[in-house]
Structure formats: C-alpha cells, structure tokens
Amino acid sequence: MNFFLTRNQYFGGSTMKKHNPLRRRLVLFSIAVVLVPMMILYAVIFGFFRYRSFQENKKYAFYNMQSISHTLDSAFAGLNELSLYMIANESVRTYLTQPPENTAYSQVNASLQFLPFSSKYYHCVTVFSDGRPALMSGTNVKRSISEEEKKAADGMNGTSFINVADGELSLIQLIRNTNRLDQSLGYLKIQINQNELRTLLSSPKDLPETGYLLLCENGIMLENGSIPATIRSKMTYENLAGLTIDSKEFPLDGKTYSYSVRPIFRNRAELVSLNDQSSLYRVDSLLITSAVIAILLSAFFIVILVSYYIRCVFNPINSLTKEMTTIEQKNFETDFSVPGNNEISVLSDQFNMMCRRIKQMHVQVYESELKRREAELAILESEINPHFLYNILDTIYWMSEMNHTWKISEMVRSLSNLFRITLHKTADGLMPFSREREYMEGYLTIQQFRYQDQIAFEFYVQDGLDDYLVLKLLLQPIVENAIVHGVEQVGGGRVVINVY
C-alpha cells in the first residue's frame, strides 16, 4: 500500500497544474498598485496642464500679436512723421522751388545730416527732383527711384505708401508745391531698415514659435518664422485688407493652424501671425522633468519592495518547495529552518513537525502492511482445508456414481458445488446471479435430503436475471433464517423463494 500520492496523482492524472510564481504576481501587483496609478495621475495632470498651457499660450500669442502691431504702427508712424518733416522743411522746399543755379546744394544737404528723428528704422532719406541733385540723409549705396515708383507716387496724390521692389522696402511720397497743388516738386523716398523691423516680428522664447507676415499692396514686406508655402500664397493683401481677425482656425495637410490679422499704418499694411495649434500645447519642461523623476522614483521604490519580498518571503518559500519535493521522494530526514519570529519561521517549524509525523505514520503504515500480508497468508493457509475437503467430496461423489447410489451422489455433488462457489473469490465481492442461483439450488437440495418430507421448497426465478451482479451468498442466510426460525419451530411447512 502506497501512502503517498505522486505529483500527477495529486493534480489529477498526467496533467500538471501550471506553475505561476508568486514573484511574478508580486511584481505585477506592485506595478498595478504603485506604477499604474502614478501613470494615470501623471496622465491626468499632464492633460490638465497641457490644456492649461494651450489656453495660456493662445492668450500670450494674442497679446504678443497686439504688442507687435502697436510697435509696428509706432514705427511706421515715426517714418510718416519723418516724411512730413522732410516735405515741410523750409530748406528742402526752397531747394526744390528755386532755380537750380540759385540753390546751395551742399548747405541744404548738410543740414539734413542731423534730422531730429531716430535712424533706427530707416537707412536713408532721399529727396529726388528732376534736374537737381538728390538730397540725402543717412547711409545707403542705392539712392535711386524708378519710373514705376514715380508713377505709383503720382497716383497716390500726395499720400505716402509702402513699396517693395528688388528686395528693398521703402516709404515713398509725392512732394507738391503748396502754392500750386497741381505742381509736383519731387519725390521723397525713405529706405526702411528691414532687419530692424524683422526683429519686431518675433515671439519671446517662452512662447511657441509663431510665423509672421507683413503685407502691403504690392507684396510681402517682411516675413519671419516658418510659414508653409501654400498658406503664404493665400495670405495676400487683397484678401485681408482692412480686416481684423482673432485666432481663426483652419486645417491643412493633417494639421490645424490658427491665424490672426491686424491692420497697420492706417490700413496701408496688414500684419498676419500664424501658429501651428499643436505647438500651443507645449508643456513646461519642468513639469515633464518632475513627472519623469516621480516615475523613476516609483520604479526604484518598486524594485526595492520586490527585492525585500524576494529575500524575506519568496526565497524561503522556494527553499520550502524544494524540501517538499524531497518529502515526495520519501526522504524524511530534511530539516528546514528560517531565522526570525515571523510567519515564515513559524511555517518552517510546522513543516519540520509535519515531516516527523509523516515519518512516524509511514513507519506505522509499513508495519500495518506487513501485518495485513501475514493475515492474508494465514487466511490462505486456512483455505487449504476447504480445498482438501472439496477434493475428497468430489472423490466420494464419483465413487457413489459408480455404485449407483444416486442420493449420496446428489448430496455430495451439491455439497461440492457449495464449497466450490464459496471458495470462488472476486475483487469486489460480487458475482453473477446465475452462480448465486446454482449455489441456492445445491443448498436447497441438501436441505431437502436433510428434512425429508417435513419441509417443501419452491424456488421461482424470473427470466433474464442470470447476468445481473449480486452480493455473494445473498440468499442463503435468508433461507436459513426461514428454516431455523420459521419452519422448524412449527414442525414443518413450505418455504417459497421468489426472485424477480
């Protein structure tokens, strides 16, 4: 008798239960409890600050646009005042109205070298008149005016306008004779410092990158920042003249852009700002750095926690698992100990106690098995006598048959059948009803010879029952009780047996 179950028997057949280490569970649990909530919290905070950043950047971009438009207005207003000063200057008008031979060019031109205006936004101021040398103030190697510029100035009827030609940006105005308005005295041309104006078309470093266009009637005056060519082609002065637009959105090439428009210099120019909407969602790098540090610290905390549990919990449990494997192989001499006074140490003590008790039980079971086998041997020896008696009865039967003593033969045959069926053993103690029926017929035959005419026996069996399994010697005690406690008490009678 094997007291121990194998691993396959324990888990039911040959299919072994899938091993799922506690260490992996702890790692997943730690990630689920610490890292996942931290990531969710970070995502929520990041989403909030991202939205907040979008709103703040959009507001600051609007304020920056307003500031640039006011600064450009001031710059062009200063240039316009400079042009008015030049036109109203008495020396200049005298130079333009007097005959050329009566004018002192050097004196007039020298008086213009110290204009009462800052030269920050212009390179050179030049007065052109047919038949006279040009009056100049400032420094620029290119001092000329084209016929197209003259025609454009004539068409403006004395109003200044901004002109873009050959990479040059200038403010041009027709100079009229104040005494005869139909008489043209010359042309004033102020060459604008594009680089200085371009520095105005920029955003602070803490704001998202913004593209700017400064448009006038005959083209793009200035451009700063990244602006797609398809958008630049649509942003024209004719389409935007006189409009004021705040953060209008439109899609292009899978992106969403927003643009704003402000009129400049009394609607003679238009300032356009363009933002990629995705750049407005820029989150402060300090927030991103803080979140990354928090996640790394959480991961470090998880590593420390898992390492502690592995050292204090899982390593002892793994050792205990190995010791249990040796127990499965019937090695009871194991000694498993864990220092400390915690649950694992208590478990190790209980395990050692269990090993000792299993060893004792194993010895007891082994001894019980030996005794059981000795008993079976004794029973086997005791069965030798019935076998011997059965063989003798069988010999007597054949001798009576030869002498034609049929009653003796029948009785001996019935007794022999009884011994044969009694000695027949099965694993579960069951036998077909046909054998039980044969046994009862032999038993009734012997009883009939014994009681002669005092008892009558009737045995009825329903057809089709021979193959049914029944307990061995099921009917014999019932019939015997009926004889001993029934028929014998009254001195005779009839025993009827019905099986169905």
Side-chain angles (χ1 to χ4, degrees), residues 349-480:
D349 295 337
Q350 295 295 326
F351 174 77
N352 293 330
M353 185 182 300
M354 181 192 70
C355 290
R356 290 191 292 270
R357 295 195 62 181
I358 290 177
K359 182 178 180 180
Q360 295 174 358
M361 294 176 65
H362 179 70
V363 173
Q364 292 175 1
V365 169
Y366 180 75
E367 293 176 351
S368 299
E369 180 71 13
L370 288 178
K371 291 180 180 179
R372 185 182 69 83
R373 296 192 176 232
E374 290 176 356
E376 288 181 351
L377 183 59
I379 293 173
L380 182 61
E381 291 176 352
S382 66
E383 288 178 350
I384 294 175
N385 293 331
H387 273 286
F388 179 71
L389 180 59
Y390 165 74
N391 293 331
I392 292 175
L393 289 174
D394 192 58
T395 302
I396 294 172
Y397 166 74
W398 285 108
M399 291 178 67
S400 63
E401 279 286 325
M402 293 173 63
N403 294 322
H404 303 289
T405 54
W406 66 271
K407 290 185 178 181
I408 297 175
S409 299
E410 186 65 25
M411 191 171 182
V412 171
R413 185 185 66 82
S414 299
L415 184 58
S416 177
N417 285 338
L418 290 183
F419 277 110
R420 179 173 55 83
I421 295 174
T422 303
L423 293 175
H424 178 73
K425 292 184 178 181
T426 59
D428 52 4
L430 301 177
M431 66 179 182
F433 183 73
S434 59
R435 302 294 298 274
E436 179 71 11
R437 181 177 182 176
E438 181 182 353
Y439 177 85
M440 282 307 301
E441 289 175 349
Y443 177 77
L444 293 177
T445 300
I446 293 173
Q447 294 293 354
Q448 188 71 54
F449 282 121
R450 179 184 176 188
Y451 290 99
Q452 297 296 326
D453 296 331
Q454 294 181 11
I455 301 176
F457 294 97
E458 297 180 11
F459 188 25
Y460 302 102
V461 179
Q462 182 180 340
D463 294 337
L465 301 181
D466 289 344
D467 294 330
Y468 283 87
L469 296 177
V470 296
L471 291 174
K472 186 177 179 181
L473 305 182
L474 176 66
L475 298 177
Q476 187 266 338
I478 299 174
V479 175
E480 186 175 357

Side-chain angles (χ1 to χ4, degrees), residues 90-223:
E90 188 64 29
S91 299
V92 173
R93 300 194 69 83
T94 300
Y95 176 75
L96 295 176
T97 55
Q98 295 295 324
E101 61 273 7
N102 296 335
T103 58
Y105 168 77
S106 299
Q107 295 177 358
V108 175
N109 197 62
S111 67
L112 298 180
Q113 299 305 313
F114 302 99
L115 296 175
F117 293 91
S118 172
S119 61
K120 181 178 181 179
Y121 295 115
Y122 70 91
H123 290 297
C124 178
V125 180
T126 308
V127 177
F128 297 96
S129 178
D130 294 337
R132 291 181 174 83
L135 298 175
M136 293 169 291
S137 175
T139 57
N140 196 348
V141 295
K142 188 177 181 180
R143 299 184 180 93
S144 62
I145 186 171
S146 64
E147 292 299 323
E148 289 79 7
E149 290 173 335
K150 291 180 180 180
K151 290 180 181 180
D154 293 339
M156 297 297 294
N157 296 320
T159 303
S160 61
F161 71 96
I162 301 172
N163 184 64
V164 180
D166 300 329
E168 181 184 87
L169 180 62
S170 57
L171 182 70
I172 301 175
Q173 186 173 357
L174 175 66
I175 302 175
R176 292 181 181 274
N177 190 340
T178 54
N179 297 323
R180 292 180 58 188
L181 295 179
D182 59 341
Q183 182 182 6
S184 174
L185 299 179
Y187 301 93
L188 173 67
K189 184 176 183 179
I190 302 176
Q191 293 177 318
I192 300 173
N193 187 345
Q194 298 182 62
N195 294 331
E196 192 66 34
L197 284 182
R198 189 175 285 109
T199 60
L200 300 177
L201 303 181
S202 61
S203 301
K205 292 183 178 180
D206 57 343
L207 288 180
E209 182 181 356
T210 304
Y212 293 96
L213 284 176
L214 189 59
L215 307 174
C216 65
E217 190 171 357
N218 60 344
I220 298 175
M221 297 167 53
L222 291 173
E223 178 181 351

Side-chain angles (χ1 to χ4, degrees), residues 293-311:
I293 292 175
I295 292 175
L296 292 177
L297 289 177
S298 300
F300 179 72
F301 172 75
I302 290 175
V303 170
I304 294 178
L305 180 65
V306 171
S307 300
Y308 172 78
Y309 272 98
I310 288 175
R311 181 173 59 86

Side-chain angles (χ1 to χ4, degrees), residues 275-330:
N275 291 102
D276 184 352
Q277 289 286 79
S278 60
S279 66
L280 298 179
Y281 286 100
R282 186 181 63 183
V283 182
D284 188 3
S285 59
L286 179 60
L287 176 63
I288 297 177
T289 303
S290 301
V292 171
I293 292 175
I295 292 175
L296 292 177
L297 289 177
S298 300
F300 179 72
F301 172 75
I302 290 175
V303 170
I304 294 178
L305 180 65
V306 171
S307 300
Y308 172 78
Y309 272 98
I310 288 175
R311 181 173 59 86
C312 297
V313 178
F314 296 117
N315 286 343
I317 290 178
N318 287 336
S319 300
L320 179 60
T321 303
K322 294 178 181 178
E323 296 296 334
M324 293 181 70
T325 303
T326 63
I327 294 296
E328 183 182 344
Q329 298 171 356
K330 301 182 182 181

Side-chain angles (χ1 to χ4, degrees), residues 1-14:
M1 179 177 181
N2 189 1
F3 181 75
F4 297 93
L5 297 177
T6 64
R7 187 184 299 269
N8 288 342
Q9 290 173 338
Y10 178 78
F11 291 115
S14 60

